[in-house]
Amino acid sequence: MKLTTRGHYSVKALLDLSLQPRFGPTSVKSIAKRQELPAPYLEKLLIEMRRAGLVQSVRGSQGGYQLARQPAQISLGQILEAVGETIEPLPRHFPDATQAEDWVTFSLWNRLHKKLAEALYSISLEDLYYDVRSWQAALGEETSFII
């Protein structure tokens, strides 16, 4: 699995939204500035995550994007899936029935894929939030939030 900028930026954006008071709406421009992300690209990612039901958009002068659910109910796997990240091993590969080694490695990659998927879907946005806070506290930093 290779995490692209799509996945990385999407996770950063939702972590940023998780810090908003009462998970209130935040403008794309504000998120982009705090996380040092390109706003037009971030807007496209947030639209994809809105379609997946992870965020909601709020219109108006105080509008923007906000989480659609509590952070504990949003998994890392859901975020990555929403923006088209894939963890599929060996796409379009079919093992050669005459080679035992091909079947063994194919089986191995499939088992690893299942474990990776389980892990990604078991890690919540809330877990990531507390990981960042713990890391910042261990460094003796204030809880500013740039990852």
Side-chain angles (χ1 to χ4, degrees):
M1 175 186 166
K2 179 180 178 184
L3 183 64
T4 67
T5 55
R6 294 176 64 76
H8 183 70
Y9 289 2
S10 298
V11 172
K12 286 179 73 161
L14 291 195
L15 277 169
D16 190 277
L17 288 176
S18 73
L19 287 171
Q20 300 312 307
R22 297 186 184 135
F23 311 115
T26 304
S27 71
V28 173
K29 186 177 179 181
S30 296
I31 299 167
K33 184 177 179 182
R34 280 192 299 270
Q35 298 302 323
E36 300 177 357
L37 305 174
Y41 188 55
L42 180 58
E43 177 78 37
K44 291 176 185 176
L45 296 173
L46 286 164
I47 289 169
E48 291 179 35
M49 289 187 280
R50 181 178 50 84
R51 288 183 186 135
L54 300 179
V55 297
Q56 298 171 334
S57 58
V58 177
R59 295 179 187 252
S61 62
Q62 300 299 315
Y65 286 91
Q66 64 187 28
L67 296 177
R69 303 188 288 254
Q70 294 294 315
Q73 298 172 333
I74 299 174
S75 73
L76 182 56
Q78 291 169 322
I79 297 168
L80 297 176
E81 181 182 326
V83 296
E85 292 284 18
T86 180
I87 60 167
E88 295 300 319
L90 308 171
R92 296 179 286 288
H93 174 74
F94 300 98
D96 183 344
T98 63
Q99 294 185 353
E101 297 83 0
D102 203 23
W103 278 102
V104 169
T105 57
F106 184 76
S107 175
L108 169 68
W109 287 119
N110 280 324
R111 289 191 346 227
L112 289 172
H113 169 259
K114 287 179 184 175
K115 293 295 184 184
L116 179 58
E118 287 173 14
L120 290 173
Y121 283 89
S122 71
I123 299 169
S124 72
L125 190 55
E126 182 178 65
D127 296 331
L128 298 177
Y129 169 86
Y130 287 118
D131 287 347
V132 170
R133 292 297 193 204
S134 295
W135 175 74
Q136 289 173 330
L139 294 176
E141 293 181 7
E142 293 289 324
T143 54
S144 63
F145 186 71
I146 300 291
I147 60 168

